[in-house]
Amino acid sequence: MAPSSRRRFMPFILRGVKLLGIDSSACPMDRRKEVWRHLAHDMKPKRLHSTAREITLDELPQAFATLLEGNARGRYVVKLD
């Protein structure tokens, strides 16, 4: 692993986060599009929308407090308008 990669991935490694992925750069584009279509439709988790909560900029301080307390679940999506 290159030194620059170590710096990028070290925070995840220290927190015990598993980074899983596939290098599809050598895969033909038609095949990639087919796989992405399956992931977006056939294989999409049923409750994916429930893993994110939309918040406003005004709600960020409370969201940060929740994160720092270790009580956050899912993801926050900040609505900017």
Side-chain angles (χ1 to χ4, degrees), residues 14-29:
L14 292 174
R15 289 178 180 85
V17 175
K18 292 181 182 178
L19 301 174
L20 306 174
I22 298 170
D23 180 7
S24 63
S25 61
C27 185
M29 183 56 76

Side-chain angles (χ1 to χ4, degrees), residues 48-80:
L48 186 60
H49 67 280
S50 66
T51 63
R53 181 173 159 232
E54 190 174 281
I55 63 171
T56 65
L57 285 173
D58 293 335
E59 294 174 289
L60 273 177
Q62 181 58 43
F64 289 143
T66 303
L67 288 164
L68 290 172
E69 292 167 0
N71 294 325
R73 297 291 176 263
R75 302 190 184 280
Y76 291 110
V77 177
V78 181
K79 187 176 180 180
L80 297 176

